[in-house]
Amino acid sequence: MSAAITTTIDIVASPQAVWEVLTDFAAYPDWNPFMRRVEGTPRVGTKLVVHLSPPGGRGMRFKPTVLVANPGQELRWLGKLGFSGLFDGEHSFVLTANADGTTHLTHSERFSGILVTLLKGTLKNTRAGFDAFNQALKQRVETADFPR
């Protein structure tokens, strides 16, 4: 069984400016309502520690492995609940430059595993968390002192 969440938002800044804020994990507690803390380095093969606080849901901590870290383009990681195949989530942030110099962010996650059906109800809170994250990222980037 699988399920997916995909959200998008346009940000009035370059992909590099968005990347700078997206990967400044130390600053997440200052602005991020969904991922309250992320520890680690966005480098392929490294493990992160992500602390989630979905709206209306229980907070949780997981340790995903970074799969892709292309500056200004894509950050993707794979997290697992328990062992592989139980409840896995491949989370991604894809940054695409728009013709007008702004950035289109596609923020998504693909869930797979035998527990997806049982946990599908919690994905509504997760979608709300993605939307809150996107809005907060947009505000943070657009009010930061970056060249536009």
Side-chain angles (χ1 to χ4, degrees), residues 39-50:
E39 302 160 28
T41 305
R43 190 173 40 241
V44 173
T46 63
K47 285 227 183 261
L48 303 175
V49 179
V50 178

Side-chain angles (χ1 to χ4, degrees), residues 68-109:
V68 178
N70 291 331
Q73 297 176 9
E74 181 180 10
L75 176 62
R76 184 168 17 117
W77 62 63
L78 177 63
K80 300 172 186 213
L81 179 64
F83 56 87
S84 185
L86 192 59
F87 186 79
D88 302 340
E90 189 170 310
H91 198 108
S92 68
F93 305 91
V94 177
L95 309 175
T96 306
N98 294 321
D100 62 0
T102 63
T103 300
H104 184 75
L105 167 69
T106 302
H107 179 187
S108 62
E109 188 154 5

Side-chain angles (χ1 to χ4, degrees), residues 34-45:
F34 179 58
M35 292 180 201
R36 298 300 303 151
R37 263 184 28 230
V38 175
E39 302 160 28
T41 305
R43 190 173 40 241
V44 173

Side-chain angles (χ1 to χ4, degrees), residues 6-83:
T6 300
T7 61
T8 63
I9 196 166
D10 287 314
I11 301 172
V12 182
S14 69
Q16 191 56 42
V18 176
W19 179 264
E20 296 283 332
V21 173
L22 179 66
T23 59
D24 182 6
F25 298 149
Y28 272 31
D30 297 337
W31 64 269
N32 194 327
F34 179 58
M35 292 180 201
R36 298 300 303 151
R37 263 184 28 230
V38 175
E39 302 160 28
T41 305
R43 190 173 40 241
V44 173
T46 63
K47 285 227 183 261
L48 303 175
V49 179
V50 178
H51 301 262
L52 292 182
S53 295
R58 285 191 358 229
M60 67 177 287
R61 181 178 76 115
F62 66 100
K63 297 178 179 180
T65 300
V66 177
L67 302 175
V68 178
N70 291 331
Q73 297 176 9
E74 181 180 10
L75 176 62
R76 184 168 17 117
W77 62 63
L78 177 63
K80 300 172 186 213
L81 179 64
F83 56 87

